[in-house]
Amino acid sequence: MTPEGVNITHPDKLFIGGEWVAATSGREIELVSPNSEEVVGRVAEASKEDMDKAVAAARTAFDHGPWPSTPPAERAAKLMEMAEYLEKRMPELCAAWTAQVGGLASFAPQMHGGAIMQLKAIADLGNTYEFVQKRPSMMVETALIAKEPVGVVAAIAPWNAPFGIMIAKVGYALVAGCPVIVKPSPETPLEAYIIAEAAEAVGLPAGTVNLAVGEREASDHLVQNPGIDKVSFTGSTGAGKRIGEVCASRVARCTLELGGKSAAIISDDYPIEAAAGLLGNTITIMSGQVCAMLSRAIVTKDRHDELAEAIAKVMQGITIGHSEDENTQLGPLAMKRQLERVEMYVEEGKKTADLVTGGARPTHMNKGFFMEPTLFANVDNTSRIAQEEIFGPVLCLIPAEDEEDAIRIANESDYGLNGSVLTNDADTAYRVGRRIRTGGFGQNGLQMDFNLPFGGFKQSGIGREGGPDGIEAYLETKTMLLTGTPSSI
């Protein structure tokens, strides 16, 4: 069973070793629409045994299969074929996202089109990246630095942007020569099925791409399997810490893109109305369920109240509705537990800050996991709502003495994923940006380019994805010292 507009050939099976096979658990995972709260799909649930089978298939593909030794240009060509295949199925990818997590249908083509463009850019790395470099040496005639595939990769993606995040992991792994186990969130498996069907359609060698959809226990078992050489994980900091511990215990490689509590500093030169429009509308993107979301806004005390009033006015004009409605600006949260999480933080916020607007379910929506855009003002930066990732349409407005104090407040966080300064002066943007401890920083809003390095400082993660830096995480470096020069490299 799949949602309307999504055509999966074998939703009742897993893709392991180049074949669609029944799950040994005999169980299914139900997919619930956040718009209607109704079951809209079911897929096979992988057990621990299924995870082991997927690893074994990928292990065979790496140790004995042709993919790791396939010339990079040929790997790139296959990836480009996958991108073209996925491009034809973009309407299904969009429908899957809307059905599973309530992503806005109006935004879905832009989001998924961008992900396919990124896959094409990743494929191009097979033609442009220097997998073997010749360097000078004081010891031998020929010194070569070879970049070789790290091995079997477990790619684990979250539920908020399941296609874009997963296809980037799969793309980098494949172009580097690594077989991959695709492990999507149990809430959003449909995109991963389409990726597996793409791998099958273009004729990737058996075991090069494997799909296993599991709940937490089976997923943890996958990470612990000694046949996994690298884990690429995007998700919560709590889950990332667990994966980091497991990988450290056997010195497995890992890339962790985790949570955030990113701050936007509003400079005194930036107009109040413009800042309000930007901040009030940004927090509604994907219902605030974005790891790099600008969820803290820091402004000088003398402008605080005026900005709070202006943001509230913007939020009160936002159209809340079903994801399929083209007029909707704010759709539902992805699932019931996420709505309950946001409601818990709203109650916490009321204890320490001023609730200016929002904070409740919209009265005109009697079904679905909806929450009004919410603004807290006079927020203490040490409070829970300022320090913990809420992952919903909740904005915290924090007063500061001046720019120096604003920078201090922005950096007083366990996270360091993203940040921004609202200013019309490029020198101010650069000066402030260099002092903020985050992996990304933008001028005037939530700025992200996934063809450039993306990742975090502190508890926001380890490693980077995006551009040539992204492929590095899937390669090992080998130094070769030769007394002669090989005929070809």
Side-chain angles (χ1 to χ4, degrees), residues 87-312:
E87 201 161 29
K88 295 175 182 176
R89 297 190 67 177
M90 199 169 76
E92 292 178 72
L93 292 166
C94 293
W97 186 56
T98 297
Q100 294 170 117
V101 296
L104 296 188
S106 60
F107 181 56
Q110 176 185 341
M111 183 174 179
H112 292 83
I116 291 170
M117 287 178 62
Q118 185 186 11
L119 179 59
K120 291 180 179 180
I122 294 169
D124 284 339
L125 290 172
N127 299 309
T128 60
Y129 186 82
E130 265 193 296
F131 286 89
V132 181
Q133 305 167 18
K134 187 174 181 179
R135 295 188 189 174
S137 170
M138 296 184 293
M139 306 302 297
V140 295
E141 179 182 325
T142 304
L144 300 176
I145 307 300
K147 302 286 187 174
E148 300 183 349
V150 70
V152 173
V153 173
I156 305 175
W159 46 258
N160 61 334
F163 176 68
I165 293 173
M166 182 62 83
I167 199 60
K169 296 180 186 301
V170 171
Y172 284 118
L174 291 180
V175 79
C178 302
V180 60
I181 294 100
V182 177
K183 210 302 290 183
S185 167
E187 288 84 9
T188 52
L190 298 178
E191 295 86 350
Y193 271 86
I194 295 174
I195 291 170
E197 290 183 355
E200 181 183 35
V202 305
L204 291 186
T208 306
V209 171
N210 306 274
L211 167 65
V213 186
E215 297 284 2
R216 181 171 296 182
E217 188 175 352
S219 301
D220 188 63
H221 184 77
L222 169 65
V223 172
Q224 294 187 65
N225 190 304
I228 296 293
D229 297 299
K230 173 187 171 61
V231 178
S232 178
F233 172 78
T234 299
S236 72
T237 296
K241 288 179 179 179
R242 166 63 180 167
I243 290 169
E245 290 170 358
V246 171
C247 289
S249 69
R250 53 187 177 84
V251 201
R253 278 53 175 157
C254 65
T255 300
L256 306 174
E257 196 274 285
L258 309 178
K261 195 69 182 180
S262 303
I265 296 173
I266 299 91
S267 291
D268 286 346
D269 75 307
Y270 203 78
I272 290 289
E273 293 301 321
L278 193 155
L279 296 167
N281 286 294
T282 297
I283 199 68
T284 68
I285 295 173
M286 292 169 59
S287 300
Q289 299 165 133
V290 180
C291 56
M293 177 57 68
L294 301 175
S295 56
R296 289 185 297 154
I298 307 170
V299 64
T300 49
K301 289 180 178 180
D302 60 339
R303 306 179 84 205
H304 173 276
D305 292 352
E306 185 182 359
L307 181 58
E309 183 179 349
I311 293 173

Side-chain angles (χ1 to χ4, degrees), residues 134 139-144 480-489:
K134 187 174 181 179
M139 306 302 297
V140 295
E141 179 182 325
T142 304
L144 300 176
M480 303 184 70
L481 303 177
L482 309 179
T483 58
T485 302
S487 58
S488 63
I489 56 174

Side-chain angles (χ1 to χ4, degrees), residues 419-441:
S420 181
V421 61
L422 276 55
T423 177
N424 291 317
D425 182 63
D427 290 337
T428 298
Y430 182 74
R431 182 184 71 252
V432 173
R434 289 303 304 269
R435 296 186 60 192
I436 303 299
R437 294 278 298 156
T438 56
F441 192 85

Side-chain angles (χ1 to χ4, degrees), residues 424-480:
N424 291 317
D425 182 63
D427 290 337
T428 298
Y430 182 74
R431 182 184 71 252
V432 173
R434 289 303 304 269
R435 296 186 60 192
I436 303 299
R437 294 278 298 156
T438 56
F441 192 85
Q443 182 179 358
N444 297 344
L446 182 63
Q447 310 282 14
M448 291 188 289
D449 184 341
F450 295 113
N451 289 313
L452 299 174
F454 181 79
F457 289 12
K458 298 186 276 188
Q459 292 190 30
S460 285
I462 297 171
R464 296 292 181 271
E465 292 184 342
D469 301 80
I471 196 175
E472 294 282 351
Y474 296 85
L475 298 168
E476 293 278 25
T477 300
K478 176 181 287 182
T479 300
M480 303 184 70

